[in-house]
Amino acid sequence: MRTLTSVAALAVAGLMLTACASGADEPAADAASGDAPATEFEAKDPLTLGYSVYDLQNPYWQSYAAGVEAGAEAAGVDVTVVDQKSDQQQQVSGSLDLVNQGISGLIVTPVQPSALPATIDAAHDAKIPVVIADIGTAGDYDAYIQSNNVDGGALAADYVIEQLGDVPGPHKVGVIELHAGSVVGEERVAEFVSTIEAHENFEIVSSLDGNDTVDGGFAAAQDMLSANPDLEVIYAANDDSAMGAQRAMETAGKSVADGFILIGFDGADGALDLIEQGLMSASVAQDPYGQGVKAVETVLALLDGTVEYDDAASRTIFFPVEIVTAENLDDFRASRAAQD
């Protein structure tokens, strides 16, 4: 457990902040009305937030937690970060412990979204708002912070069209999906596919499950390259699958240097290294640190009654993504280094 203590206390009256990858990651049915949360929340004194984080061994969640801490420090409030170590039962008990400590707001990155309802109900009984930070949702949560996966799919497709759209085709494209049932994966793929298929110069010839892993991406790419030796593009819905696809490309004698296009999704360090080495074309980057800051702003807005949603029906706030290529890699890395 880590506790960040504020440098200066924040009076409750001063809370005027406005907030402008699991198989169960679907918005909860009981949040579908889009109505403002019915629970009357209570900002206690001293005001402390709790963050129940998936697993701090993972660099993505390390960055997310750093953003939560930075957001809390900027707002002048305390935050307690609890590492749940990828353990669903530990997360349920750990989140309830945070509730019992008298926090004023709870942020949760769920190990398993299906376990959320009991935690949310307990928090609401204590007049505590609950913000779901990535992964997926269930229960009567109050806000959901999520990367804009639809925009990410479109960015990837636009990059492909920019590179090959004026070159005589049709150009054959392969897609590596996330695991079956992943709403996040479905969003990333569906928008990519619809944008590509709207351009007559491209043909999607294969779409396979990469199981979200390097090995799964390797197997999927190997199969599609074997069946389509003239394949020119692979879009993977996460960077691990893209890194596996890069290995399969090497085996098949394909390379980015020769004009093949390989795009991933996440902005992971391993993918950025491949982009730097000229072995991968691009990655659609998420911003876990920025999302952590936004999660804090959203909790405080819920306490103040001023929260605003991008999608009211699912109480979702979308966080921007960006595409990283060799051309903007240095600037991107510099911007992320500045977050530390």
Side-chain angles (χ1 to χ4, degrees):
M1 179 181 296
R2 300 184 295 164
T3 304
L4 178 72
T5 305
S6 62
V7 181
L10 178 70
V12 172
L15 290 176
M16 298 298 292
L17 300 176
T18 303
C20 285
S22 165
D25 46 2
E26 296 194 39
D30 46 11
S33 66
D35 295 334
T39 305
E40 182 179 344
F41 302 125
E42 179 182 314
K44 304 170 183 66
D45 186 15
L47 198 153
T48 301
L49 308 180
Y51 178 32
S52 176
V53 58
Y54 191 114
D55 196 324
L56 286 174
Q57 293 298 309
N58 186 310
Y60 188 90
W61 303 121
Q62 291 171 12
S63 183
Y64 212 113
V68 168
E69 291 176 334
E73 183 174 14
V77 301
D78 298 342
V79 64
T80 299
V81 178
V82 180
D83 184 4
Q84 307 302 353
K85 305 181 187 300
S86 298
D87 187 314
Q88 176 182 332
Q89 292 184 335
Q90 180 173 318
Q91 183 164 58
V92 172
S93 61
S95 298
L96 292 177
D97 185 54
L98 284 171
V99 169
N100 292 332
Q101 288 178 34
I103 60 174
S104 294
L106 178 63
I107 302 167
V108 182
T109 296
V111 174
Q112 188 58 255
S114 60
L116 283 169
T119 297
I120 294 170
D121 290 346
H124 284 176
D125 286 345
K127 299 183 178 180
I128 297 169
V130 180
V131 171
I132 309 304
D134 214 322
I135 299 293
T137 61
D140 191 20
Y141 59 92
D142 302 299
Y144 178 35
I145 311 293
Q146 181 186 24
S147 292
N148 198 325
N149 295 295
V150 172
D151 277 3
L155 284 173
D158 289 343
Y159 176 84
V160 172
I161 293 168
E162 180 181 345
Q163 300 303 309
L164 293 176
D166 294 332
V167 179
H171 304 287
K172 293 187 177 181
V173 179
V175 175
I176 302 180
E177 309 164 8
L178 296 188
H179 64 277
S182 169
V183 174
V184 166
E186 290 170 359
E187 290 174 343
R188 294 176 183 180
V189 167
E191 191 65 19
F192 175 84
V193 169
S194 64
T195 304
I196 285 290
E197 288 185 336
H199 198 293
E200 62 181 13
N201 208 22
F202 295 92
E203 179 186 4
I204 295 178
V205 296
S206 182
S207 189
L208 301 174
D209 185 346
N211 200 32
D212 311 356
T213 65
V214 172
D215 288 345
F218 175 84
Q222 196 171 47
D223 286 348
M224 61 179 62
L225 285 165
S226 176
N228 304 277
D230 53 348
L231 195 72
E232 295 181 69
V233 178
I234 292 178
Y235 166 63
N238 75 341
D239 277 340
D240 279 352
S241 296
M243 288 186 278
Q246 191 276 325
R247 296 180 187 176
M249 286 166 52
E250 281 189 354
T251 302
K254 304 283 187 180
S255 73
V256 169
D258 294 331
F260 198 98
I261 294 177
L262 173 63
I263 305 175
F265 199 118
D266 280 335
D269 287 341
L272 300 182
D273 289 342
L274 288 179
I275 293 172
E276 181 178 25
Q277 296 162 24
L279 300 175
M280 187 167 161
S281 307
S283 176
V284 178
Q286 303 186 81
D287 183 0
Y289 182 96
Q291 288 185 63
V293 173
K294 174 61 77 173
V296 171
E297 294 175 353
T298 302
V299 168
L300 298 178
L302 284 161
L303 286 167
D304 195 47
T306 58
V307 69
E308 297 178 5
Y309 304 107
D310 293 316
D311 179 21
S314 61
R315 295 180 187 166
T316 300
I317 296 169
F318 294 113
F319 205 83
V321 295
E322 61 182 303
I323 193 158
V324 182
T325 67
E327 285 69 31
N328 67 349
L329 177 61
D330 289 344
D331 289 343
F332 176 79
R333 281 179 161 163
S335 70
R336 292 303 165 93
Q339 294 177 339
D340 297 335

